[in-house]
Amino acid sequence: LSFVAALVTIAALAQVNALVLSVSPLKPRQGDTLAFHATLPDSKAAIITFRDRVVPMERLPDGRFRALFGTSPDMPPGLQTVTVLGDDGGKTISFALTRGTFGVQRLRVPAARNQLRKDPRVDADKAAIRACLAERTPDQLWQGAFAWPVTGSIRTQYGLKRIMNGDANYGWHKGYDIAAKTGTPIKTPADGIVALVRPCVLEGNLILVNHGQGVYTAYFHLSKFSVAEGQTIRTGERLGHVGNTGISSGPHLHWGVYVNGVAVNPKPWLTAPPK
Ligand SMILES: [Zn+2]
């Protein structure tokens, strides 16, 4: 019996060892989008767990499974663990998340605008945004690198710690602020579906576009909307116009990229998007 048990154990180990799980980039920094790839020859489906979030993996044309996750400046650097579970077993790997370098920005808005942060409608806005970003659809709608949503210069980089009117607990900057004149058309950087169109207190007029597999792009402070919720939109089509609504200190587009609810650095999405 013990011989059979040993054989079963060896078979199980061999099966587990056949699974391959990898992370890219190889040395991720805070703000990077992580792509986890798993080879599970006998699995029809697989789920992945990263930082207590469990999501289904999607199958790539080459047969491997993939899932994307976001990292951010407020995610502690150091050892991270990820676990994949398929029909033919599971696998856990560890990797190091490196600390990113992000600056500090002190900014000032008129006191009346800053008071908006205490507006009772802010909680409902946040809940609507969070619920939208948590919605995960299986199809990958984007192809290749994202295009810039507006032409203009980056006024505020991703990840900066912000001190607003002296308040150091304002948080960090969750995207790019791109300076542009009020009325400048905002173009969608990739194919997607318009998921949320909402006048918010802090974000101003806001749009979220779903690009599939947990990937969303966000547009804040618009002067005008050009789309409606549920609308399919193609790369280059107009979403709306640049404005100065919400907590904003001048006309600009705040552009964010979210992966599974985490605001990531948009830069790789413009140059070398996760594969
Ligand atoms: Zn911004």
Side-chain angles (χ1 to χ4, degrees):
L1 256 180
S2 64
F3 175 71
V4 173
L7 271 185
V8 169
T9 307
I10 289 165
L13 278 174
Q15 200 174 39
V16 168
N17 288 342
L19 306 185
V20 179
L21 174 60
S22 65
V23 57
S24 63
L26 272 174
K27 291 180 179 171
R29 303 175 78 81
Q30 289 171 320
D32 280 347
T33 299
L34 306 177
F36 295 109
H37 292 95
T39 308
L40 300 149
D42 300 319
S43 294
K44 285 195 171 61
I47 54 163
I48 185 164
T49 307
F50 179 61
R51 295 183 60 83
D52 296 332
R53 181 101 209 257
V54 186
V55 301
M57 297 187 88
E58 282 90 21
R59 210 183 256 284
L60 293 174
D62 65 11
R64 290 181 303 166
F65 287 93
R66 183 190 70 181
L68 304 179
F69 278 93
T71 70
S72 62
D74 58 357
M75 199 172 276
L79 214 58
Q80 303 282 345
T81 301
V82 60
T83 300
V84 163
L85 198 59
D87 308 327
D88 46 349
K91 185 151 183 126
T92 298
I93 60 163
S94 294
F95 61 95
L97 179 67
T98 306
R99 190 182 294 279
T101 34
F102 309 104
V104 176
Q105 184 187 38
R106 286 178 170 74
L107 63 166
R108 203 151 269 287
V109 293
R113 276 210 182 199
N114 201 30
Q115 277 299 108
L116 290 172
R117 287 160 61 189
K118 293 178 184 145
D119 190 296
R121 294 168 296 172
V122 167
D123 287 345
D125 289 345
K126 283 196 191 311
I129 294 166
R130 207 179 309 122
C132 179
L133 295 176
E135 198 76 36
R136 209 172 173 284
T137 50
D139 291 337
Q140 177 182 333
L141 303 178
W142 81 92
Q143 291 301 328
F146 286 1
W148 284 92
V150 292
T151 349
S153 52
I154 299 178
R155 197 168 60 182
T156 309
Q157 290 285 350
Y158 166 87
L160 286 167
K161 181 183 165 59
R162 303 187 106 177
I163 301 173
M164 176 70 88
N165 292 7
D167 176 7
N169 293 319
Y170 188 71
W172 52 277
H173 193 232
K174 296 185 169 67
Y176 281 163
D177 281 349
I178 308 165
K181 283 186 187 140
T182 294
T184 305
I186 300 164
K187 293 170 178 177
T188 184
D191 291 0
I193 295 163
V194 178
L196 189 67
V197 176
R198 182 180 173 100
C200 296
V201 175
L202 303 182
E203 295 82 2
N205 292 324
L206 164 146
I207 294 176
L208 296 179
V209 177
N210 179 5
H211 302 286
Q213 302 187 352
V215 178
Y216 283 79
T217 50
Y219 309 81
F220 297 176
H221 313 301
L222 276 59
S223 58
K224 227 160 70 182
F225 296 124
S226 306
V227 289
E229 285 177 11
Q231 193 179 324
T232 299
I233 189 149
R234 299 244 166 231
T235 309
E237 284 180 356
R238 197 175 69 209
L239 288 167
H241 296 271
V242 171
N244 189 27
T245 54
I247 292 207
S248 169
S249 53
H252 75 284
L253 171 68
H254 171 100
W255 182 50
V257 180
Y258 288 79
V259 179
N260 278 326
V262 176
V264 297
N265 192 343
K267 194 178 180 182
W269 286 91
L270 291 158
T271 52
K275 285 187 183 130

